[in-house]
Amino acid sequence: GHEYVDLGLPSGLKWATCNIGTDKPEDYGDYYAWGETEAKTKYGYDSNYKINNRKDISGTQYDAARVNWGNIWRMPTEDEFQELVDKCTWKWTTQNGVKGYKVTGPNGNSIFLPAAGGRFGSSLFYAGEIGYCWSSTPNESKNYGAYYLGFFSSNQRVFWDYRYYGWSVRPVAE
């Protein structure tokens, strides 16, 4: 029931056209702490975050894409986000009034990633300025960290940060 785009990447991965929690590319969708499969109203180290997994969660019961969208979907890995950064053309733009990136693959097909911001505590921050999308890859040297794709008007990179932030999830399919 969800659409994807083949960007012509070497991995052959198909990228969903929208984030979990919406069916429109420019809508922000829901926010998830890393390893959690339900959106919540409060995010942070002092809230109800409980996951302390040191293994990649792609395709597991901790994968928000798999749990919410079904068996063909999963969260992308750190390396798959890096492929998206390295092999695609990124153009900061506005789609239906929402700022974000048009990401165009080697074959000319594209997806839109909205600058959905993130959640900490009960607040939404940097919406319209920065996008954060969780990968399935933990930072193995930091049991409280995981990797994500971060982007704003002049840059896109794969970073790591604390797992308790509420960020977007953009699913992929094999």
Side-chain angles (χ1 to χ4, degrees):
H2 303 282
E3 296 180 7
Y4 59 77
V5 174
D6 180 353
L7 296 172
L9 295 168
S11 66
L13 207 58
K14 316 295 190 280
W15 286 83
T17 58
C18 60
N19 293 337
I20 296 175
T22 184
D23 60 359
K24 296 179 182 169
E26 65 275 4
D27 286 353
Y28 295 163
D30 293 331
Y31 299 84
Y32 298 88
W34 187 87
E36 294 185 349
T37 59
E38 294 181 10
K40 50 191 186 180
T41 58
K42 187 176 180 187
Y43 297 83
Y45 56 86
D46 61 349
S47 69
N48 55 359
Y49 184 73
K50 298 179 182 109
I51 306 301
N52 189 16
N53 186 2
R54 290 182 177 246
K55 297 185 181 191
D56 194 294
I57 60 172
S58 186
T60 72
Q61 74 269 24
Y62 303 110
D63 182 330
R66 177 66 49 94
V67 170
N68 287 282
W69 280 15
N71 285 337
I72 74 160
W73 297 101
R74 64 177 176 79
M75 293 170 67
T77 66
E78 172 193 12
D79 290 341
E80 290 162 345
F81 269 138
Q82 193 62 56
E83 178 185 56
L84 196 69
V85 169
D86 293 343
K87 303 291 184 188
C88 293
T89 302
W90 291 66
K91 182 179 185 210
W92 186 255
T93 188
T94 301
Q95 181 169 308
N96 294 325
V98 176
K99 292 179 182 177
Y101 269 105
K102 179 179 180 182
V103 183
T104 304
N107 65 4
N109 294 338
S110 64
I111 58 173
F112 180 76
L113 295 174
R119 290 198 169 276
F120 183 74
S122 56
S123 299
L124 177 63
F125 58 91
Y126 297 128
E129 298 175 46
I130 300 175
Y132 306 95
C133 294
W134 282 123
S135 82
S136 62
T137 310
N139 182 332
E140 294 178 1
S141 67
K142 309 280 186 192
N143 67 355
Y144 49 82
Y147 290 93
Y148 69 96
L149 172 67
F151 55 90
F152 52 95
S153 64
S154 62
N155 195 358
Q156 57 281 326
R157 288 186 39 200
V158 178
F159 300 94
W160 79 269
D161 210 332
Y162 300 106
R163 300 175 182 185
Y164 48 72
Y165 285 110
W167 289 342
S168 302
V169 174
R170 178 58 64 102
V172 295
E174 305 280 343

